[in-house]
Amino acid sequence: HIDPSSVTQTFAVKAKALGGKIYEHSEVVGLNCMPDETWEVSVRTTDGEVHVVRAKRVVNCAGLWAERIGGFAGVHTPCTVLQHQYVITEPIPEVKAYHDKHGHQLPVLRDLEGSYYVRDEGEGMLIGPYEREDLMSLAPKEWKGTMPPEP
């Protein structure tokens, strides 16, 4: 698995090093593909101002809001949000020792017959089930947080 927070921070550090600007706690409110195949990305910051940023590439990594952001570009993003439960343990000394010795995370263990998976999370372990299709439920709309209503 990939730790999304670490990947995001790595991309942000590299982008800044290459002269990029990061708008934190901001919302993408529009995408417009220009004739030269660059993009105008409209971003609303926390102070309510809208900034237009030019980009050669746009990566949709909006998580819960990926479908909406894709829609700004006219792209259907086939995704949905499911409720998922899991347990994270307290730190386990052996997990930390493994990380220190090997410099990477443990492999993910998946038991398809038992319908669960186990992986490290921080210095502990995360255990989660694979929900059967008949038991899956869509996440409530309020999970999408403070995203403004669809236009």
Side-chain angles (χ1 to χ4, degrees):
H1 81 282
I2 295 174
D3 169 16
S5 180
S6 295
V7 170
T8 301
Q9 292 306 313
T10 301
F11 277 126
V13 167
K14 185 66 171 179
K16 288 177 186 178
L18 293 171
K21 178 148 178 65
I22 306 291
Y23 290 93
E24 295 187 61
H25 309 290
S26 299
E27 165 192 8
V28 173
V29 294
L31 294 170
N32 187 23
C33 187
M34 306 305 292
D36 65 356
E37 297 185 358
T38 61
W39 290 87
E40 284 187 346
V41 182
S42 299
V43 179
R44 181 180 300 126
T45 58
T46 54
D47 61 9
E49 288 188 42
V50 175
H51 301 268
V52 176
V53 179
R54 289 286 278 224
K56 291 181 182 177
R57 306 273 187 279
V58 174
V59 177
N60 183 352
C61 46
L64 297 173
W65 306 279
E67 185 176 14
R68 181 157 182 209
I69 300 302
F72 290 152
V75 175
H76 172 66
T77 309
C79 60
T80 190
V81 180
L82 297 175
Q83 293 186 37
H84 181 66
Q85 297 183 8
Y86 54 86
V87 175
I88 301 175
T89 69
E90 296 289 328
I92 299 170
E94 291 82 0
V95 172
K96 181 178 181 342
Y98 181 91
H99 292 168
D100 291 345
K101 180 178 179 182
H102 299 285
H104 59 80
Q105 295 178 308
L106 290 159
V108 175
L109 170 66
R110 300 173 193 263
D111 181 348
L112 298 179
E113 283 192 34
S115 191
Y116 71 92
Y117 65 98
V118 180
R119 65 173 175 83
D120 52 351
E121 178 72 21
E123 294 179 2
M125 298 298 290
L126 181 148
I127 303 124
Y130 290 113
E131 291 88 352
R132 293 190 332 247
E133 186 174 354
D134 60 322
L135 297 177
M136 286 185 193
S137 59
L138 295 177
K141 288 187 179 210
E142 54 271 14
W143 278 22
K144 290 196 175 185
T146 58
M147 187 75 169
E150 305 257 345

